[in-house]
Short mmCIF file of all heavy atoms in Angstrom, two decimals:
data_model
loop_
_atom_site.label_atom_id
_atom_site.label_comp_id
_atom_site.label_asym_id
_atom_site.label_seq_id
_atom_site.Cartn_x
_atom_site.Cartn_y
_atom_site.Cartn_z
N GLY A 1 256.25 51.75 130.10
CA GLY A 1 255.00 51.18 130.70
C GLY A 1 253.77 52.06 130.54
O GLY A 1 252.63 51.58 130.62
N MET A 2 254.00 53.37 130.21
CA MET A 2 252.82 54.21 130.00
C MET A 2 252.39 54.38 128.57
O MET A 2 251.20 54.41 128.30
CB MET A 2 253.22 55.63 130.59
CG MET A 2 253.30 55.65 132.00
SD MET A 2 253.60 57.30 132.69
CE MET A 2 255.26 57.58 132.24
N GLY A 3 253.30 54.51 127.62
CA GLY A 3 252.87 54.81 126.19
C GLY A 3 252.67 56.30 126.11
O GLY A 3 252.61 57.05 127.06
N TRP A 4 252.54 56.75 124.77
CA TRP A 4 252.45 58.14 124.60
C TRP A 4 251.16 58.76 124.99
O TRP A 4 251.09 59.96 125.31
CB TRP A 4 252.87 58.55 123.21
CG TRP A 4 251.93 58.23 122.11
CD1 TRP A 4 250.58 58.67 121.98
CD2 TRP A 4 252.23 57.49 120.87
NE1 TRP A 4 250.10 58.11 120.85
CE2 TRP A 4 251.01 57.48 120.16
CE3 TRP A 4 253.35 56.92 120.37
CZ2 TRP A 4 250.92 56.87 118.87
CZ3 TRP A 4 253.27 56.33 119.15
CH2 TRP A 4 251.94 56.30 118.43
N ALA A 5 250.10 57.96 124.98
CA ALA A 5 248.78 58.58 125.24
C ALA A 5 248.71 59.11 126.69
O ALA A 5 247.94 60.03 126.94
CB ALA A 5 247.67 57.46 125.03
N GLN A 6 249.50 58.50 127.64
CA GLN A 6 249.43 58.94 129.02
C GLN A 6 250.37 60.09 129.27
O GLN A 6 250.33 60.71 130.31
CB GLN A 6 249.74 57.80 129.94
CG GLN A 6 248.84 56.64 129.89
CD GLN A 6 249.21 55.47 130.80
OE1 GLN A 6 249.40 55.75 131.95
NE2 GLN A 6 249.27 54.30 130.32
N LEU A 7 251.17 60.47 128.27
CA LEU A 7 252.15 61.49 128.48
C LEU A 7 251.90 62.69 127.70
O LEU A 7 252.17 63.86 128.14
CB LEU A 7 253.52 61.00 128.08
CG LEU A 7 254.24 59.89 128.93
CD1 LEU A 7 255.52 59.34 128.27
CD2 LEU A 7 254.56 60.48 130.33
N ILE A 8 251.16 62.58 126.63
CA ILE A 8 250.83 63.74 125.74
C ILE A 8 249.71 64.60 126.42
O ILE A 8 248.76 64.04 126.96
CB ILE A 8 250.44 63.28 124.31
CG1 ILE A 8 251.66 62.71 123.69
CG2 ILE A 8 249.98 64.49 123.47
CD1 ILE A 8 251.43 62.06 122.31
N HIS A 9 249.82 65.89 126.28
CA HIS A 9 248.72 66.82 126.74
C HIS A 9 247.44 66.42 126.12
O HIS A 9 247.36 66.14 124.87
CB HIS A 9 249.15 68.23 126.41
CG HIS A 9 248.30 69.22 127.10
ND1 HIS A 9 246.94 69.52 126.80
CD2 HIS A 9 248.58 70.05 128.22
CE1 HIS A 9 246.41 70.42 127.51
NE2 HIS A 9 247.36 70.80 128.30
N PRO A 10 246.33 66.30 126.89
CA PRO A 10 245.07 65.94 126.30
C PRO A 10 244.72 66.72 125.02
O PRO A 10 244.13 66.15 124.07
CB PRO A 10 244.03 66.22 127.47
CG PRO A 10 244.87 66.07 128.67
CD PRO A 10 246.20 66.61 128.35
N ASP A 11 244.90 67.99 124.98
CA ASP A 11 244.61 68.82 123.84
C ASP A 11 245.42 68.44 122.61
O ASP A 11 245.12 68.82 121.51
CB ASP A 11 244.73 70.32 124.15
CG ASP A 11 243.76 70.75 125.20
OD1 ASP A 11 242.79 70.08 125.43
OD2 ASP A 11 244.07 71.88 125.78
N ASP A 12 246.64 67.80 122.76
CA ASP A 12 247.45 67.49 121.69
C ASP A 12 247.35 66.05 121.24
O ASP A 12 248.04 65.64 120.27
CB ASP A 12 248.91 67.74 122.08
CG ASP A 12 249.20 69.25 122.42
OD1 ASP A 12 248.42 70.07 121.96
OD2 ASP A 12 250.20 69.59 123.09
N LEU A 13 246.53 65.24 122.00
CA LEU A 13 246.41 63.82 121.62
C LEU A 13 245.88 63.61 120.29
O LEU A 13 246.42 62.78 119.48
CB LEU A 13 245.63 63.12 122.71
CG LEU A 13 245.60 61.60 122.62
CD1 LEU A 13 246.95 61.04 122.62
CD2 LEU A 13 244.76 60.97 123.76
N GLU A 14 244.71 64.24 119.95
CA GLU A 14 244.09 64.07 118.58
C GLU A 14 244.99 64.51 117.47
O GLU A 14 245.12 63.73 116.51
CB GLU A 14 242.77 64.80 118.63
CG GLU A 14 241.99 64.53 117.27
CD GLU A 14 240.60 65.12 117.27
OE1 GLU A 14 240.13 65.57 118.38
OE2 GLU A 14 240.01 65.27 116.15
N PRO A 15 245.56 65.66 117.56
CA PRO A 15 246.59 66.00 116.46
C PRO A 15 247.71 65.01 116.30
O PRO A 15 248.21 64.72 115.22
CB PRO A 15 247.10 67.44 116.94
CG PRO A 15 245.99 67.96 117.76
CD PRO A 15 245.46 66.76 118.55
N THR A 16 248.19 64.42 117.45
CA THR A 16 249.32 63.47 117.39
C THR A 16 248.85 62.20 116.72
O THR A 16 249.54 61.61 115.87
CB THR A 16 249.79 63.15 118.82
OG1 THR A 16 250.22 64.33 119.49
CG2 THR A 16 250.88 62.16 118.79
N GLN A 17 247.59 61.83 117.01
CA GLN A 17 247.08 60.63 116.33
C GLN A 17 246.91 60.82 114.89
O GLN A 17 247.13 59.91 114.05
CB GLN A 17 245.78 60.27 116.99
CG GLN A 17 245.78 59.73 118.41
CD GLN A 17 244.58 59.57 119.11
OE1 GLN A 17 243.58 60.22 118.76
NE2 GLN A 17 244.47 58.73 120.12
N ARG A 18 246.54 62.03 114.43
CA ARG A 18 246.43 62.34 112.99
C ARG A 18 247.81 62.24 112.33
O ARG A 18 247.96 61.80 111.25
CB ARG A 18 245.75 63.73 112.73
CG ARG A 18 244.29 63.77 113.08
CD ARG A 18 243.69 64.94 112.41
NE ARG A 18 244.27 66.24 112.87
CZ ARG A 18 243.84 66.93 113.94
NH1 ARG A 18 242.72 66.56 114.54
NH2 ARG A 18 244.43 68.05 114.20
N GLU A 19 248.82 62.80 113.07
CA GLU A 19 250.16 62.81 112.55
C GLU A 19 250.70 61.41 112.40
O GLU A 19 251.27 61.02 111.36
CB GLU A 19 251.13 63.57 113.52
CG GLU A 19 252.48 63.77 112.94
CD GLU A 19 252.57 64.69 111.73
OE1 GLU A 19 251.63 65.56 111.64
OE2 GLU A 19 253.47 64.61 110.94
N VAL A 20 250.43 60.51 113.39
CA VAL A 20 250.79 59.09 113.21
C VAL A 20 250.12 58.40 112.04
O VAL A 20 250.73 57.66 111.30
CB VAL A 20 250.45 58.40 114.51
CG1 VAL A 20 250.68 56.88 114.40
CG2 VAL A 20 251.33 58.83 115.71
N ALA A 21 248.84 58.75 111.82
CA ALA A 21 248.07 58.20 110.71
C ALA A 21 248.70 58.51 109.41
O ALA A 21 248.82 57.76 108.49
CB ALA A 21 246.64 58.63 110.77
N GLN A 22 249.18 59.79 109.33
CA GLN A 22 249.88 60.17 108.06
C GLN A 22 251.26 59.47 107.90
O GLN A 22 251.66 59.12 106.77
CB GLN A 22 250.12 61.71 108.13
CG GLN A 22 248.86 62.49 108.05
CD GLN A 22 249.07 63.99 108.19
OE1 GLN A 22 250.18 64.50 108.40
NE2 GLN A 22 247.98 64.78 107.89
N GLN A 23 251.89 59.18 109.05
CA GLN A 23 253.18 58.43 108.95
C GLN A 23 252.86 57.02 108.44
O GLN A 23 253.62 56.60 107.61
CB GLN A 23 253.81 58.38 110.38
CG GLN A 23 254.62 59.51 110.79
CD GLN A 23 255.45 59.21 112.02
OE1 GLN A 23 255.44 58.16 112.58
NE2 GLN A 23 256.07 60.26 112.55
N LEU A 24 251.81 56.41 108.93
CA LEU A 24 251.56 55.09 108.49
C LEU A 24 251.23 55.01 106.94
O LEU A 24 251.29 54.00 106.28
CB LEU A 24 250.39 54.54 109.22
CG LEU A 24 250.55 54.38 110.79
CD1 LEU A 24 249.33 53.88 111.41
CD2 LEU A 24 251.73 53.47 111.02
N GLU A 25 250.85 56.14 106.40
CA GLU A 25 250.54 56.22 105.00
C GLU A 25 251.74 56.66 104.19
O GLU A 25 251.65 56.78 102.89
CB GLU A 25 249.41 57.32 104.72
CG GLU A 25 248.07 56.92 105.32
CD GLU A 25 247.05 57.94 105.14
OE1 GLU A 25 247.44 59.08 104.68
OE2 GLU A 25 245.81 57.73 105.48
N GLY A 26 252.95 56.71 104.82
CA GLY A 26 254.11 56.98 104.13
C GLY A 26 254.67 58.43 104.20
O GLY A 26 255.73 58.71 103.56
N GLN A 27 254.01 59.26 104.94
CA GLN A 27 254.48 60.66 104.96
C GLN A 27 255.32 60.85 106.28
O GLN A 27 254.78 60.61 107.37
CB GLN A 27 253.21 61.60 105.08
CG GLN A 27 253.66 63.05 105.19
CD GLN A 27 252.35 63.96 105.07
OE1 GLN A 27 251.43 63.69 104.43
NE2 GLN A 27 252.43 65.07 105.86
N ASP A 28 256.48 61.37 106.15
CA ASP A 28 257.38 61.54 107.22
C ASP A 28 256.91 62.79 108.08
O ASP A 28 256.29 63.75 107.55
CB ASP A 28 258.84 61.79 106.78
CG ASP A 28 259.53 60.62 106.29
OD1 ASP A 28 259.01 59.46 106.57
OD2 ASP A 28 260.50 60.67 105.59
N THR A 29 257.22 62.66 109.40
CA THR A 29 256.89 63.78 110.23
C THR A 29 258.07 64.77 110.28
O THR A 29 259.18 64.44 110.47
CB THR A 29 256.69 63.32 111.67
OG1 THR A 29 255.44 62.55 111.75
CG2 THR A 29 256.61 64.40 112.76
N VAL A 30 257.70 66.05 110.11
CA VAL A 30 258.82 67.14 110.09
C VAL A 30 258.20 68.28 111.01
O VAL A 30 257.24 68.83 110.67
CB VAL A 30 258.99 67.64 108.64
CG1 VAL A 30 260.14 68.69 108.65
CG2 VAL A 30 259.49 66.48 107.77
N ASN A 31 259.01 68.58 112.10
CA ASN A 31 258.76 69.71 112.86
C ASN A 31 257.30 69.66 113.52
O ASN A 31 256.70 70.73 113.61
CB ASN A 31 258.99 71.04 112.16
CG ASN A 31 260.46 71.20 111.66
OD1 ASN A 31 261.39 70.57 112.21
ND2 ASN A 31 260.63 71.99 110.66
N PHE A 32 256.85 68.49 113.82
CA PHE A 32 255.63 68.42 114.52
C PHE A 32 255.75 68.68 116.05
O PHE A 32 256.64 68.14 116.59
CB PHE A 32 254.94 66.99 114.33
CG PHE A 32 253.69 66.78 115.05
CD1 PHE A 32 252.51 67.38 114.73
CD2 PHE A 32 253.66 66.02 116.21
CE1 PHE A 32 251.29 67.26 115.34
CE2 PHE A 32 252.43 65.88 116.96
CZ PHE A 32 251.35 66.46 116.49
N VAL A 33 254.84 69.53 116.53
CA VAL A 33 255.02 69.93 117.95
C VAL A 33 253.79 69.51 118.82
O VAL A 33 252.71 69.61 118.41
CB VAL A 33 255.11 71.51 118.04
CG1 VAL A 33 255.13 71.93 119.43
CG2 VAL A 33 256.35 71.99 117.26
N ASN A 34 254.15 68.90 119.99
CA ASN A 34 253.13 68.56 120.94
C ASN A 34 253.81 68.71 122.32
O ASN A 34 254.94 68.99 122.53
CB ASN A 34 252.56 67.19 120.76
CG ASN A 34 253.56 66.09 120.81
OD1 ASN A 34 254.77 66.25 121.20
ND2 ASN A 34 253.14 64.92 120.37
N ARG A 35 252.96 68.59 123.36
CA ARG A 35 253.38 68.84 124.74
C ARG A 35 253.36 67.45 125.48
O ARG A 35 252.43 66.73 125.40
CB ARG A 35 252.44 69.85 125.43
CG ARG A 35 252.59 71.21 124.95
CD ARG A 35 251.48 72.13 125.46
NE ARG A 35 250.27 71.71 124.70
CZ ARG A 35 249.06 72.31 124.96
NH1 ARG A 35 248.94 73.30 125.83
NH2 ARG A 35 247.98 71.98 124.35
#
């Protein structure tokens, strides 16, 4: 019901969005850290 934007630490939200954008371009996520 919340989605990840409501759970991720505000300081980590933008890096997480960048990581997702890279995934959508075909790059797998490896050892990405957020809170």
Side-chain angles (χ1 to χ4, degrees):
M2 289 185 287
W4 72 54
Q6 298 181 52
L7 291 171
I8 294 174
H9 192 286
D11 293 343
D12 296 341
L13 187 56
E14 185 176 345
T16 301
Q17 291 171 336
R18 289 199 301 267
E19 187 68 27
V20 170
Q22 293 178 353
Q23 277 192 3
L24 298 179
E25 294 175 357
Q27 179 177 327
D28 289 343
T29 289
V30 180
N31 300 337
F32 175 75
V33 175
N34 58 12
R35 289 164 292 177

